[in-house]
Amino acid sequence: MARQVQLIAYPDGEIGPEHFRTVEVAIPAPASGEVLVRNLYTSVDPALRLRTRRASPSGYFSAFPLNAPMDGIMCVGEVVESRADAFAAGDLVTHAWGWRDLALVPADQPSLSGVGTLTRVDASLGPPEKFLGPLGNMGLTAYVGLIDAAELRDGDVVWISAAAGAVGSLAVQIAKLRGHRVIASAGSVEKVRFLRDELGADAAFDYHDGPVLDQLRAAAPDGIDVYFDNVGGDHLGAALATLRRWGRVAMCGSVSDYDRSEPQPGPTNLFQIVANDLTVRGFRASSHLDRLVDSSRELGQWLADGRLHYRETIVDGLEHAPDALVRMLAGDTVGKTLVRI
Ligand SMILES: NC(=O)c1ccc[n+]([C@@H]2O[C@H](COP(=O)([O-])OP(=O)(O)OC[C@H]3O[C@@H](n4cnc5c(N)ncnc54)[C@H](OP(=O)(O)O)[C@@H]3O)[C@@H](O)[C@H]2O)c1
């Protein structure tokens, strides 16, 4: 038997554990071309909240069906049995048949636009959980957002929001290690301390401590050149008001919108994009899979050198995955939120 978490109702307001259940299901032996994987860790991502709506945003990964396995969530695990030529028992793999303890994975079936297709990873590069962080999609997201979407240039002053989280904490360090002045924001005193003392941000603030625009201006009196947006809403408005001429926004996500029943109003100062020749560019890491080699090489080297700090908040037990999602959306986790199975 295997266990899996299923969504049982689409929330009308905030999401809670009551919208999920954990069930036991029979699991057959692998058929030809399939691999049986024992998951070690599964990922908890803010965007899952977009997929626990009746309809996910147009163009994005589809909503989870009710009372069915939640496929399309990243996992790292160990192959137990393989009937696919390229995999053998004992291989460490990533895939996206997530929020289950045992997964029967079709080896050649693309998933999550390729990010979640079954892939053997080099276990010598780091512990398994790092492949759901700097050595995987989180590293790729931070890297592509800064280097490709924001076209990071020498001397840029960079602001990163939700900076104590999985993507943000990597973006802060990539920018710092490349020599930039970095302003970081997050949601608590402890996170601000983490950003300054552990990640090396030049300035950091708690967005609860006053209007974001005021705090950003105090941290960057001469303005910013790049905004790495994980939050949207008032944060994006503050960035548009602060970006200098030819500034760039990498739109990574909009987490302040995800767990609301009604969308919040967008920024009212969009004309700043015209006034200052700004570029605002959205990106999906999965559309830049060819960059995974570069991001993993750079971040993997820094990780091995001890120059990259990567915290995780690890919640034990598959059945606690919904609690982990709720905690992460509420800001009650630091670094990458993972469930250990
Ligand atoms: N484009 C892509 O390919 C891609 C890939 C992965 C992730 N993302 C996006 O990247 C962003 C960060 O994802 P992540 O996995 O690294 O998550 P995370 O930052 O580890 O967790 C989300 C954090 O967002 C903060 N937050 C929640 N509500 C907020 C609000 N109203 N205002 C400001 N901050 C709020 C919370 O921390 P605080 O304590 O700081 O509030 C929370 O812990 C998300 O928007 C996600 O959708 C995009």
Side-chain angles (χ1 to χ4, degrees):
M1 296 295 276
R3 287 184 316 139
Q4 57 183 233
V5 177
Q6 300 182 345
L7 182 70
I8 57 170
Y10 297 111
D12 287 321
E14 290 183 1
I15 201 161
E18 66 279 12
H19 298 108
F20 299 88
R21 69 177 179 186
T22 306
V23 294
E24 286 211 334
V25 293
I27 188 154
S32 175
E34 287 183 339
V35 171
L36 181 65
V37 180
R38 182 179 303 285
N39 288 332
L40 300 170
Y41 293 90
T42 185
S43 185
V44 179
D45 305 279
L48 298 183
R49 183 62 189 91
L50 297 173
R51 302 173 59 202
T52 52
R53 297 178 178 177
R54 277 174 192 81
S56 68
S58 165
Y60 195 57
F61 299 120
S62 52
F64 295 113
L66 297 182
N67 305 311
M70 294 174 67
D71 288 334
I73 303 177
M74 289 305 295
C75 289
V76 62
E78 199 177 276
V79 173
V80 178
E81 188 181 346
S82 172
R83 291 205 54 209
D85 289 343
F87 298 91
D91 283 351
L92 188 68
V93 290
T94 56
H95 65 86
W97 275 256
W99 284 25
R100 333 162 171 234
D101 55 1
L102 285 168
L104 209 47
V105 185
D108 292 332
Q109 190 172 310
S111 179
L112 280 183
S113 305
V115 169
T117 308
L118 186 71
T119 304
R120 186 172 45 266
V121 294
D122 181 352
S124 71
L125 296 179
E129 62 275 19
K130 300 294 183 235
F131 293 94
L132 299 181
L135 302 178
N137 197 36
M138 298 298 108
L140 178 65
T141 306
Y143 187 90
V144 160
L146 281 175
I147 310 299
D148 297 334
E151 296 178 9
L152 198 61
R153 296 168 196 162
D154 286 351
D156 279 347
V157 174
V158 181
W159 174 36
I160 295 155
S161 57
V167 172
S169 63
L170 290 173
V172 168
Q173 293 177 90
I174 293 171
K176 273 311 297 173
L177 286 161
R178 284 175 170 242
H180 295 272
R181 175 172 165 77
V182 175
I183 295 137
S185 59
S188 71
V189 178
E190 295 74 27
K191 288 185 181 183
V192 166
R193 203 174 299 127
F194 166 64
L195 292 169
R196 280 209 200 102
D197 299 348
E198 219 167 299
L199 303 191
D202 299 284
F205 64 86
D206 177 350
Y207 62 88
H208 297 107
D209 281 352
V212 175
L213 179 56
D214 294 352
Q215 297 202 73
L216 181 60
R217 281 198 172 132
D222 299 326
I224 60 173
D225 304 290
V226 164
Y227 173 47
F228 190 107
D229 189 17
N230 287 317
V231 172
D234 59 347
H235 286 57
L236 178 57
L240 295 180
T242 312
L243 279 154
R244 299 195 271 231
R245 194 122 192 266
W246 308 113
R248 285 139 279 136
V249 180
M251 299 276 304
C252 178
S254 198
V255 68
S256 64
D257 274 334
Y258 296 174
D259 205 18
R260 289 171 183 258
S261 44
E262 296 296 328
Q264 61 184 328
T268 54
N269 57 348
L270 293 177
F271 188 76
Q272 290 309 118
I273 299 170
V274 179
N276 284 316
D277 292 287
L278 306 181
T279 302
V280 178
R281 186 181 292 170
F283 72 98
R284 289 171 68 169
S286 55
S287 306
H288 300 265
L289 259 186
D290 55 315
R291 298 288 266 155
L292 185 59
V293 176
D294 300 323
S295 63
S296 300
R297 190 190 303 115
E298 186 158 335
L299 297 179
Q301 189 58 53
W302 287 336
L303 201 60
D305 291 350
R307 282 191 284 169
L308 186 82
H309 302 270
Y310 198 63
R311 273 221 218 162
E312 284 119 359
T313 299
I314 294 178
V315 174
D316 276 304
L318 177 68
E319 65 281 12
H320 296 303
D323 308 299
L325 176 63
V326 171
R327 280 184 56 195
M328 183 201 53
L329 290 169
D332 185 29
T333 59
V334 182
K336 174 68 191 159
T337 306
L338 291 173
V339 172
R340 181 161 40 208
I341 298 170

